[in-house]
Each structure stands twice: as structure tokens, then as C-alpha cells.
Amino acid sequence: MNILVTGGAGFIGSHTLIELYNAGHTAVVVDNLANSNPAVLQRVAEIIGVKEIPFYKTDIRDREGLERIFSTHRFDACIHFAGLKAVGESVEKPWEYYENNIGGTLTLVEVMRKHGCKNIIFSSSATIYGDPAEIPITENCPKGQCTNPYGWTKSMLEQVLMDIQKADGEWNVVLLRYFNPVGAHPSGRIGENPNGIPNNLMPYITQVAVGKRKELGVFGNDYPTPDGTGVRDYIHVVDLAAAHVAAMRAIERRCGVGIYNIGTGHGYSVLDMVNAFVRVNHVDIPYSIKPRRAGDIATCYCDPAKALSELGWQAHCTIDDMVRDSWNWQRQNPDGYPEE
């Protein structure tokens, strides 16, 4: 299948391109490069052994730009990663998040529909569960009160896409609810490259390890968890990328609407991740305890059984793989990707 990958130069998108090509698919990337670097696409092409991956520097809110792309290429499906994703920033800039994430997706889906492309895999998030009603979280767990505009954009867009499919049965919609992506490609050529201060745990750890930051701040050590720090379901980005290939197979079987948790089913605390990093990589990570962050919950991990039974997908990488590959990427690329 030929697949439009929005946000394909980003962390998860770039790893998914590799898995798509390895599975025999082809892809065209649309990315406005607001939080990514074009160098990643050349590295992906080198990894998979192609000259280049078709790329358009286009914002998904640009209707005319999308029209030109859809007039040039025929797409069987779209994997939709593009969107603003920093939780804290979304609280400070709610309008920008709603306008970009929701407005952009509505424009994208309208152009898809016009050109007869009615298959979409949407990059959703465990944030839609809010403070979850059950642990481990199943797909039957009710969607909760999101604690930030970023989470609300994911929750709202899930509803938008389900309503579109309900109104037009030709659509196939797969909603993948990611838990906490970490790691990097084993080659060390591509990995997580956040702008500014990292919002996520693992890139902060690796930046401390490489000397870019003095220490890690651990937000809260008084949660009702084994060591007092927050517990999350960390998943290796290569496993996460493979879930999109499995979702493509579901679309080929005409799934209608499919909703899946994409995680390992295991919860690791912040200090579990720090200690594993130190043990595997033999690099010290100084840290200090900070006050809890508003909106953080104690424990969040999933039951991924539905993805296994319906998609044939499960995570294979261990916590050791996660911390080893994260450090391999950062060690080889201490300053991330080169500037344009």
C-alpha cells in the first residue's frame, strides 16, 4: 500500500517509516518541520536502502498544499502523526493546540475524503483516559477528564473520526492509544530529538548522561507506588512503530473502527528507568526530588491483550533494550540532528 504519513519526520513517524518499508509498503511524508528535522528522512532512507523518501514540507492546515499532494499521488491510507504534543505548552497555548491539532485534522480528512482515501490510523494517547478508572487500563475503560488541552485534542479527534466512520461505512479508522514511547532505532541513526528542554523522561535522562544537563528532576516521590515515584507503561518506539504495520493489516481486512492500547502491559517507575539506565549503560544519572507536577497521576499502564488478539501485535523489547538504545542514540548524536 502507498501511505501518506503526516508528521513522518518526527520521533514516532520516522521509526514507523522503517517498519512500513520493511513490510513492503511505500510512503510519502508530509511534515511542516515545526518540531522535526529533515535530516531524519535521509537517515531513514539509508537504513531501509532507498535513494529518498518522497517528502513535502507542508502544514496539514494548508488545504491547497494537501490538494496538490493528493493530486500528485494516489494514497491507500494515511497514518496521522502530525500535531503539537507538549503537555505543558498546551496549557499555556490552548488556542494554538486546538487550531493546529483539530483544525489541521479536519482539513486533512476533508481532502482525504474528496480524493477517495478513507483509511486512517490516528496517533492517539493514553492521556484520553485521564485519571483511569481501572489499572491495568483496557479499551473498555471510560475516557476520563483530560488534564490539559493536548489530551483534549486527542480525545475530541477520536470522537470526530468515529463519527465520520459511523456516517460513512466506507471509512476504516484505527485509533492507537500510545502509552510512553522511549528508545531509538538500534542503529543509533535516528531517535528522540526534542526542541529545548525535554518534556519526557528518557530524553532528559540521556541529556544528563551526555552532559547537556546537570541533573534529572524527579517530580514527586510520595505517590502510592513501590518507590514513591510515578509509574508508567514505557514502550520501545520500534515496537510502537510495528503496531502501525499491524493496524494496516486490519485496514486491509476492513475493520470499520478499531481502538487499541499500545503498551507493554508493565509499569515501571521513574526510578526504575533511572536505575536500569545506570545498570545497563554504566553511566551515572544524578537526580533530585522535586514537588509533584499538577495533573500527574500515580500509576498508568495498560492491558494490551486486545492488540494481540485482534492485530497479532505485542511488544517484544525489554526495559534494558529501551535504555540501551536511548543511550546509543544520544551518545552517537550528543547534539541531536545537525542544523539545517
Side-chain angles (χ1 to χ4, degrees), residues 124-160:
S124 191
S125 168
T127 58
I128 62 96
Y129 293 113
D131 193 348
E134 60 185 19
I135 296 289
I137 301 167
T138 71
E139 289 82 357
N140 292 325
C141 182
K143 291 165 72 170
Q145 289 292 312
C146 298
T147 58
N148 55 78
Y150 163 76
W152 279 120
T153 66
K154 295 297 186 182
S155 184
M156 292 175 182
L157 284 169
E158 282 197 358
Q159 190 63 52
V160 167

Side-chain angles (χ1 to χ4, degrees), residues 37-335:
N37 189 304
V40 70
L41 296 176
Q42 183 55 46
R43 295 189 181 193
V44 168
E46 292 168 3
I47 291 169
I48 62 179
V50 299
K51 184 178 180 181
E52 64 179 3
I53 296 171
F55 166 64
Y56 294 87
K57 184 180 179 181
T58 302
D59 193 295
I60 58 170
R61 295 169 293 180
D62 179 359
R63 189 185 312 271
E64 292 182 358
L66 289 178
E67 287 281 2
R68 288 192 294 271
I69 295 166
F70 273 82
S71 297
T72 304
H73 303 271
R74 189 189 71 82
F75 296 112
D76 300 296
C78 172
I79 301 179
H80 181 29
F81 296 108
L84 299 174
K85 63 176 185 176
V87 169
E89 183 183 63
S90 77
V91 176
E92 299 168 2
K93 300 179 178 180
W95 184 88
E96 287 83 354
Y97 271 68
Y98 289 118
E99 193 269 341
N100 183 88
N101 293 7
I102 295 179
T105 301
L106 292 175
T107 300
L108 171 67
V109 169
E110 182 181 5
V111 175
M112 288 176 62
R113 180 174 60 180
K114 179 179 176 181
H115 290 267
C117 178
K118 295 185 177 182
N119 298 311
I120 188 167
I121 298 171
F122 177 60
S123 173
S124 191
S125 168
T127 58
I128 62 96
Y129 293 113
D131 193 348
E134 60 185 19
I135 296 289
I137 301 167
T138 71
E139 289 82 357
N140 292 325
C141 182
K143 291 165 72 170
Q145 289 292 312
C146 298
T147 58
N148 55 78
Y150 163 76
W152 279 120
T153 66
K154 295 297 186 182
S155 184
M156 292 175 182
L157 284 169
E158 282 197 358
Q159 190 63 52
V160 167
L161 294 171
M162 288 190 289
D163 287 346
I164 288 170
Q165 196 282 331
K166 184 177 181 180
D168 180 355
E170 291 184 359
W171 279 88
N172 292 294
V173 172
V174 180
L175 308 175
L176 299 183
R177 294 173 175 171
Y178 307 158
F179 279 70
N180 293 69
V182 296
H185 192 265
S187 67
R189 295 286 289 152
I190 63 172
E192 191 167 8
N193 185 43
N195 289 337
I197 299 173
N199 291 292
N200 298 326
L201 174 64
M202 189 52 64
Y204 211 112
I205 290 175
T206 61
Q207 288 191 13
V208 171
V210 84
K212 292 186 71 173
R213 305 203 179 273
K214 180 181 178 181
E215 65 177 15
L216 171 70
V218 176
F219 297 103
N221 67 343
D222 57 350
Y223 287 103
T225 61
D227 63 19
T229 63
V231 169
R232 298 293 182 267
D233 191 335
Y234 296 97
I235 177 171
H236 198 295
V237 67
V238 173
D239 278 334
L240 178 59
H244 298 79
V245 176
M248 290 305 309
R249 293 194 294 268
I251 281 177
E252 290 172 330
R253 298 192 298 267
R254 295 202 52 78
C255 62
V257 172
I259 302 173
Y260 302 98
N261 289 332
I262 304 299
T264 65
H266 301 288
Y268 293 106
S269 73
V270 172
L271 292 184
D272 285 337
M273 299 300 286
V274 171
N275 293 334
F277 190 94
V278 172
R279 173 177 54 80
V280 171
N281 298 314
H282 309 291
V283 179
D284 189 37
I285 303 296
Y287 66 87
S288 62
I289 304 300
K290 307 289 187 182
R292 291 186 185 189
R293 287 185 302 194
D296 276 355
I297 60 177
T299 302
C300 182
Y301 62 91
C302 77
D303 178 349
K306 184 181 178 186
L308 176 59
S309 64
E310 295 189 10
L311 299 180
W313 173 89
Q314 62 181 331
H316 295 286
C317 296
T318 66
I319 186 173
D320 287 11
D321 297 322
M322 298 176 202
V323 298
R324 180 185 301 110
D325 291 340
S326 295
W327 178 230
N328 186 38
W329 149 255
Q330 191 75 78
R331 182 172 49 80
Q332 291 189 44
N333 303 270
D335 296 314

Side-chain angles (χ1 to χ4, degrees), residues 7-11 31-40 55 193 195 337 340:
F11 175 44
D31 199 306
N32 68 359
L33 303 180
N35 191 34
S36 55
N37 189 304
V40 70
F55 166 64
N193 185 43
N195 289 337
Y337 296 109
E340 292 184 65

